[in-house]
Amino acid sequence: MSEIKKNIDIIQERIIQAANFATKNSDQIHLLAVSKTKPAKAIREAFQCGIINFGENYLQEALQKQLELSDISIVWHFIGPIQSNKTKDIAESFQWVHSVDRLKIAERLNNQRPTNLPPLQICIQVNISDESSKSGCTPNQLIELAKAIQLLPNLTLRGLMAIPKPTDSIEQQHQAFAQLRQLKESINQQLNLSLDTLSMGMSDDLEIAIEEGATIVRIGTAIFGERSYSV
Ligand SMILES: *Cc1c(COP(=O)(O)O)cnc(C)c1O
């Protein structure tokens, strides 16, 4: 069995175990394979193992791989930081964007989303525990941003995404994910919405994220192996 196939089996088992432990239905937890820095060949192999959702962080790299993989029906998720000059390509070439953190970017994605495509599925990235990071809106900005995005016709607001600051403390990991869940609940209540997505949990902390309500876990290293470089 290939390494990727073996890894996917292990991850799927981890998801099922974590869901059982949290008394949640594992069908409601989606595996997003994060393929940044990995070749198209590795993505194709994971696809052949039944994975259909793939996450990319770097636009040029992603577009190149999309070309090489245009013969298979992958659902592409953009999960990296977004600069204004990248929104057109993102709006045209992805089905999901997890990393929207300001209105200007949301408006550009909305205006540039081709009208023959379904609305772009959006998560707002929230900066929950890492004040030094520039990615993500603050919890205070969240309600206004959600309210505005929700009015954009070519976007569908689905939920929230976060990358908590790495920590060895299990308790702090729980706290960060729980905070994102509470923020989603409070938006739903205050804006009368039914956001259904919490994009949280990576290779090292997916169990804790699932316990706290993750509906999409974003897994790179545990599927494709260590990244030899970061771009
Ligand atoms: C790289 C990355 C991941 C995957 O991280 P691993 O620890 O390799 O599983 C998940 N989410 C985002 C936003 C990433 O950039």
Side-chain angles (χ1 to χ4, degrees):
M1 208 194 312
S2 84
E3 203 64 27
I4 287 177
K5 168 100 178 82
K6 227 183 309 179
N7 289 344
I8 288 172
D9 286 350
I10 292 169
I11 279 290
Q12 281 169 337
E13 190 53 35
R14 280 176 66 189
I15 291 172
I16 289 169
Q17 294 289 336
N20 286 346
F21 181 72
T23 62
K24 292 181 198 299
N25 184 348
S26 63
D27 291 348
Q28 259 131 59
I29 300 159
H30 303 282
L31 174 55
L32 173 59
V34 175
S35 43
K36 63 179 178 225
T37 80
K38 299 297 178 182
K41 182 163 73 62
I43 297 176
R44 188 178 293 279
E45 201 179 326
F47 181 84
Q48 282 157 358
C49 301
I51 306 292
I52 56 171
N53 292 285
F54 290 86
E56 290 281 341
N57 297 56
Y58 310 106
L59 183 63
Q60 291 316 315
E61 181 195 330
L63 294 176
Q64 181 57 43
K65 285 187 254 184
Q66 288 178 351
L67 269 180
E68 292 175 53
L69 296 164
S70 57
D71 58 311
I72 54 179
S73 295
I74 285 175
V75 178
W76 292 101
H77 299 239
F78 193 83
I79 62 172
I82 305 174
Q83 296 153 312
S84 294
N85 64 352
K86 303 286 166 65
T87 53
K88 183 162 185 288
D89 281 327
I90 293 172
E92 289 173 355
S93 304
F94 288 80
Q95 285 96 318
W96 280 73
V97 181
H98 293 230
S99 43
V100 173
D101 63 0
R102 55 196 194 279
L103 185 56
K104 180 183 170 197
I105 294 296
E107 286 173 339
R108 290 178 64 91
L109 291 171
N110 177 65
N111 295 337
Q112 293 167 332
R113 179 68 171 173
T115 47
N116 62 322
L117 294 179
L120 197 51
Q121 307 297 298
I122 300 291
C123 292
I124 298 176
Q125 183 175 351
V126 189
N127 186 348
I128 41 178
S129 58
D130 188 358
E131 272 125 53
S132 63
S133 157
K134 286 185 213 78
S135 294
C137 72
T138 67
N140 289 335
Q141 296 166 328
L142 185 56
I143 283 278
E144 285 309 311
L145 184 56
K147 202 192 235 172
I149 289 178
Q150 218 264 325
L151 296 172
L152 300 173
N154 301 321
L155 306 184
T156 300
L157 183 59
R158 295 294 299 271
L160 305 180
M161 181 274 239
I163 312 170
K165 186 174 172 172
T167 166
D168 290 334
S169 156
I170 305 253
E171 195 186 322
Q172 279 171 28
Q173 289 176 309
H174 271 284
Q175 269 171 16
F177 293 135
Q179 194 190 342
L180 197 71
R181 167 169 44 75
Q182 287 152 7
L183 286 168
K184 175 170 86 71
E185 286 162 5
S186 117
I187 292 177
N188 278 342
Q189 207 165 45
Q190 290 185 54
L191 301 180
N192 198 18
L193 299 177
S194 42
L195 305 184
D196 59 9
T197 300
L198 280 174
S199 168
M200 60 188 197
M202 313 200 289
S203 294
D204 290 337
D205 57 13
L206 74 92
E207 282 84 1
I208 299 173
I210 288 172
E211 242 186 283
E212 296 296 346
T215 64
I216 299 181
V217 289
R218 308 180 310 269
I219 309 299
T221 311
I223 292 176
F224 297 111
E226 293 289 337
R227 291 177 287 273
S228 54
Y229 66 101
S230 59
V231 280

